[in-house]
Amino acid sequence: MFFVDTIEVSGLGNRGYLAGGERTAVAVDPPRDIDRMIEAAARRGVRIAHVVETHLHNDYVTGGLELARVTGAAYIVPAAARVAFARTPVHDGDRTVVDTAAGLTLRAVATPGHTPHHTSYVLEEGGTPVSVFTGGSLLIGTVGRPDLVEPRLTERLARAQHASAHRLATELPDDTAVLPTHGFGSFCSSGQAHGESTTIGKEKASNEALTRDVDTFVDDLLAGLDDVPAYYTHMAPANAAGPAPVDLTPPAPADAAEIAARLAAGEWVVDLRNRVAFAAGHVSGSFNFEAEGQLATYLAWLIPWGRPVTLLAESAEQLAAAQRELVRVGIDRPAAAATGDPRDWVRPGDTPASFPRATFADLAARYPGQDVVVLDVRRDLERAGGFVEGSVHVPLHTLHRRLDEIPGGQVWVHCAGGMRAAVAASLLDAAGREVVAVDDAFGAAADAGLPLRLG
C-alpha cells in the first residue's frame, strides 16, 4: 500500500507532495515553510528518507535543502541543475527506493521544457507506475511555461515541452495519476488549468500538448504567454545558492510614531486587511495587499526588491499567515508589524484616510464625464479580450513606476474582480490622487451599459 498527500500552497498556485509506504516517504517540491511537510510525515508515522526537486524553481524559494538537512534525507536534484551545495544528482532513468516493504520506487524521467534540466518522477508500486510527479512539465490541461530561463531558449524549450508531454503519455499507463507542482493559479503555468486532478489518459484527450502538432502547439503557446512577475528573477538564483532556514517568529512591534517614520523614510507599509475595511479607513500612505488574496505574488511583484516592509494586520493570526506566505518568495523578515485597526496606527490628532468603492453601474452613471478617468490595471492579455472605451491602461505591476502617466481627474480604477483594483487604488491614494475603487467583476461593465471595445 502507498499514500500520496498533497501540500497545498494556494497563495502561489502550487502543490508539494509527500508519498510513501508504512515506514518511509519522499517529499516532492516542498515549500519553504517545511513544518507542514514534517507534520504530514508525523501524521502518517513515516520518516522522510528522500527529498526531490523537479527543477530549480522560478516562482518560489524551495524548502528542499533545509528539509533534507533537518530530516537527514537524501536531497535529490537534477544533475544538470547548477547548484552551490552538496546534493544527490539524478539522471534520466535513475531509480530510488522509497519504501522497501511497500515495493515503492521513484524513477526519474527527463522532461525538459519548463527548464532545460526539468525532471519528472514516476512512483512505481511493484514496478507498476501509479503516479507521476510532473512539476512544471505536464500540468492539468496545459504545460509549464518555457520562457522563464533565457529568452533565446524559449522556442526550443517550448518544443521540448511538447516532446516531454508525449514521452510521458507514451511511456505511462492511462490510469497513472498526474501530480503537477504548478498549474493552480501559478504564473509558471502557460495556460489556465481546470480541475483538481487528472490522469495520463485524461490529458491525452484534452491537453493541447498532446492533441496538437508541435508547430501549432508552439505557436499558440508562445502567443499566449502572460507577463512574468518581476520577483521571479530572484528565485532561481536563491534556490541555486541554497536557501537559508526561515524565521517565522513575530516581527518587532511598531507603534504609530514608528509607522509614520517608516513611511517618511520611503519604506513600504502594507495593510493586510480586506479591501472593504481598507477603503473605509487606513493609514495615509500605506498600501493594501489583502492577506486572503495572492499576497505573496503581488507584493513581491510590485515592491522594489529588498525594500523594508512593515505589515499591518487585524490580528496576530493574520500577521503570522502573511509571514508564512512571504518567506516562500524570499521576503524573509518584516521590518516591523502592528495589529489592531487604523485608530491604533495613526498618531494622536490624525485620522485615518479613506476612499470610496463603487460598481461598474456606478461608473456608467458618471462616464463619460468631466474629470472622470477610467484606469484599467489588468494585464495585456486580459485587456485584449475587451476594455472600456477611452480607459487608460497601466497594468498593476507597472503602476508604481508610472503614476505620472495617469491623467488628472478623479480616477476610477478597475481590474477583473476587485482585488487588484484595491491595490492600485491604495497606490494612487498614497500618491495623493482622488480615487474610486471599482469593486466589481469586469463582466458587469457591459451589463451596466459602458461602451466596450476589443483589444
Side-chain angles (χ1 to χ4, degrees), residues 169 172-178 198-204:
L172 298 176
D174 283 357
D175 61 355
T176 305
V178 175
T198 192
T199 62
I200 289 292
K202 290 178 181 178
E203 292 308 304
K204 282 183 178 179

Side-chain angles (χ1 to χ4, degrees), residues 92-161:
D92 184 44
D94 286 354
R95 279 184 161 82
T96 301
V97 176
V98 175
D99 187 287
T100 303
L104 291 178
T105 59
L106 205 64
R107 175 167 59 91
V109 180
T111 48
H114 187 48
T115 67
H117 61 264
H118 191 283
T119 301
S120 297
Y121 299 90
V122 179
L123 184 66
E124 299 177 340
E125 183 183 33
T128 300
V130 291
S131 302
V132 56
F133 301 103
T134 56
S137 183
L138 186 65
L139 311 184
I140 301 178
T142 185
V143 295
R145 59 193 298 170
D147 60 327
L148 302 179
V149 177
E150 156 63 54
R152 290 172 295 181
L153 295 179
T154 296
E155 183 174 350
R156 187 189 315 171
L157 290 176
R159 292 181 178 277
Q161 277 290 50

Side-chain angles (χ1 to χ4, degrees), residues 30-89:
R32 196 175 182 199
D33 46 328
I34 62 172
D35 55 329
R36 300 178 64 210
M37 196 69 77
I38 293 172
E39 289 166 3
R43 286 193 298 270
R44 289 287 186 177
V46 296
R47 176 176 63 87
I48 297 176
H50 301 90
V51 178
V52 304
E53 303 282 6
T54 56
H55 60 292
L56 285 183
H57 302 284
N58 294 290
D59 64 328
Y60 69 92
V61 181
T62 181
L65 183 62
E66 179 65 4
L67 181 61
R69 185 189 70 80
V70 168
T71 62
Y75 190 28
I76 298 174
V77 178
R82 303 176 69 176
V83 297
F85 49 82
R87 89 288 197 203
T88 301

